[in-house]
Amino acid sequence: MENVLNFKWRKGVKEVSPAHPMVQNWLFTEDTEAEAMLAHQMAVVAEKSGMTANDLQHIFPAVLRMLKNDTAWSK
């Protein structure tokens, strides 16, 4: 399996970024590593579907909100 996340330390804080070129400039913290991995995987699918980085930038927050929603509709 390929490395899907890049890690960097800056001023004592661990920064996480997805490895996919479409989202490699998105920064996450070590607490949000799962979201960084999701961004990478979504970028892989988006690239295969013909989406642009701009499309993904708009869709990603909506997907996160849906996944984190705690209502009966989202389950």
Side-chain angles (χ1 to χ4, degrees):
M1 180 185 213
E2 68 182 77
N3 187 14
V4 298
L5 298 177
N6 296 321
F7 301 97
K8 190 174 13 172
W9 287 90
R10 186 175 305 194
K11 297 182 182 179
V13 177
K14 184 178 179 182
E15 292 182 347
V16 181
S17 62
H20 194 278
M22 194 180 283
V23 291
Q24 67 186 1
N25 61 339
W26 296 12
L27 292 179
F28 297 87
T29 63
E30 61 185 322
D31 297 333
T32 57
E33 235 176 83
E35 285 87 344
M37 193 170 292
L38 175 64
H40 174 84
Q41 299 300 337
M42 284 181 64
V44 170
V45 173
E47 183 179 42
K48 290 180 181 179
S49 301
M51 293 174 62
T52 66
N54 191 40
D55 296 333
L56 187 57
Q57 183 178 359
H58 287 86
I59 290 174
F60 185 74
V63 170
L64 275 183
R65 279 193 302 272
M66 287 189 317
L67 291 173
K68 291 181 178 183
N69 196 342
D70 202 21
T71 62
W73 175 85
S74 65
K75 296 177 182 177

